[in-house]
Amino acid sequence: MELAAKGCVRVKLKNSELWEQFNRIGTEMILTKSGRRMFPYLSIAIEGLSSEFKYVVMVDMARIDLKKYKFVDQSQQWLPVSPHEYPDVMSVGALCHQGCPLTSHSLEAGILFNKLKLTNALKEDMEDQILLESMHRYAPRIHVMAEQDFANKDWTRALVFTFQETEFIAVTAYMNKQITQLKIQNNPFARAFREPKLKK
């Protein structure tokens, strides 16, 4: 689902091919106390907005369901721990794009949420970080609002978009070795893992 639409407004996931590679084998995202940068990051373009206004674009994380999951080595799959549902612990925090407010022209050209970090520790300074709980499934949600609606805290006027291929399991260590390899191959911050080590 590379494109999501609400009325005349369309949001395109520009790096959907990369997300789909991860999604096919079950995307995992690392949580740390200090915050780990999310990869793949969200690269989006938004069309159909009025040029008369400026806009605020935010991202938060929505729980897919109320279940906790575990990774089963034999099947290489994430399965619910039990049929019982766990307390509904939602994510904490939302990240506003650093360039906001943005023009419709800027949004059509595309923006990156490449500073977004995921953490499992609540702290005073949560700048650029969203709090999640490990072993639960989440999906990023993109919120688009006119600047004046954001200033008036009129959240009912926000347009909310999700992409199925961006769903992931929050973890404190990668469980699927294929995910680890994909991250090393594609994440620019993993360059040290790709370069051959010099013999001493």
Side-chain angles (χ1 to χ4, degrees):
M1 190 178 68
E2 178 187 352
L3 195 69
K6 295 280 177 71
C8 62
V9 179
R10 300 170 300 280
V11 177
K12 180 178 182 180
L13 185 63
K14 297 181 72 176
N15 57 346
S16 63
E17 288 185 8
L18 179 60
W19 277 103
E20 285 166 2
Q21 286 184 56
F22 282 89
N23 186 54
R24 280 194 290 269
I25 54 178
T27 309
E28 300 172 17
M29 294 288 179
I30 292 282
L31 310 179
T32 64
K33 288 184 179 180
S34 59
R36 175 70 68 90
R37 194 169 296 208
M38 183 173 157
F39 186 85
Y41 50 75
L42 294 165
S43 175
I44 61 172
I46 306 175
E47 301 175 349
L49 294 170
S50 171
S51 60
E52 296 180 17
F53 306 103
K54 288 188 175 181
Y55 297 89
V56 172
V57 183
M58 298 181 293
V59 169
D60 69 359
M61 300 293 163
R63 279 273 297 276
I64 300 298
D65 54 40
L66 303 182
K67 297 181 175 64
K68 197 170 185 177
Y69 287 78
K70 68 175 180 180
F71 188 74
V72 180
D73 288 327
Q74 286 182 326
S75 63
Q76 293 289 291
Q77 289 182 322
W78 285 94
L79 298 174
V81 173
S82 71
H84 302 292
E85 293 183 342
Y86 282 71
D88 187 11
V89 180
M90 301 301 289
S91 66
V92 177
L95 178 65
C96 186
H97 190 271
Q98 64 268 22
C100 290
L102 294 154
T103 64
S104 59
H105 178 73
S106 297
L107 292 170
E108 284 180 10
I111 58 174
L112 302 176
F113 281 94
N114 55 351
K115 293 186 177 181
L116 195 162
K117 294 181 179 180
L118 304 176
T119 182
N120 56 1
L122 186 62
K123 39 194 174 290
E124 289 185 11
D125 183 10
M126 294 289 289
E127 184 179 0
D128 295 336
Q129 298 191 21
I130 294 178
L131 176 68
L132 302 179
E133 188 177 6
S134 64
M135 305 304 176
H136 289 274
R137 297 175 66 222
Y138 295 91
R141 292 190 302 190
I142 299 162
H143 303 255
V144 183
M145 299 179 68
E147 181 184 13
Q148 63 268 32
D149 294 330
F150 179 78
N152 295 330
K153 298 183 179 179
D154 188 357
W155 312 118
T156 62
R157 297 179 67 84
L159 297 176
V160 183
F161 301 86
T162 58
F163 294 91
Q164 186 177 359
E165 58 265 51
T166 63
E167 295 178 6
F168 64 89
I169 297 273
V171 298
T172 53
Y174 293 126
M175 304 302 292
N176 189 333
K177 292 180 180 179
Q178 293 181 73
I179 290 292
T180 306
Q181 200 57 41
L182 263 182
K183 299 254 185 179
I184 291 172
Q185 290 171 2
N186 293 283
N187 191 342
F189 293 97
R191 185 176 63 181
F193 292 96
R194 294 192 295 269
E195 293 175 347
K197 294 182 180 178
L198 297 175
K199 293 183 179 179
K200 292 183 180 181

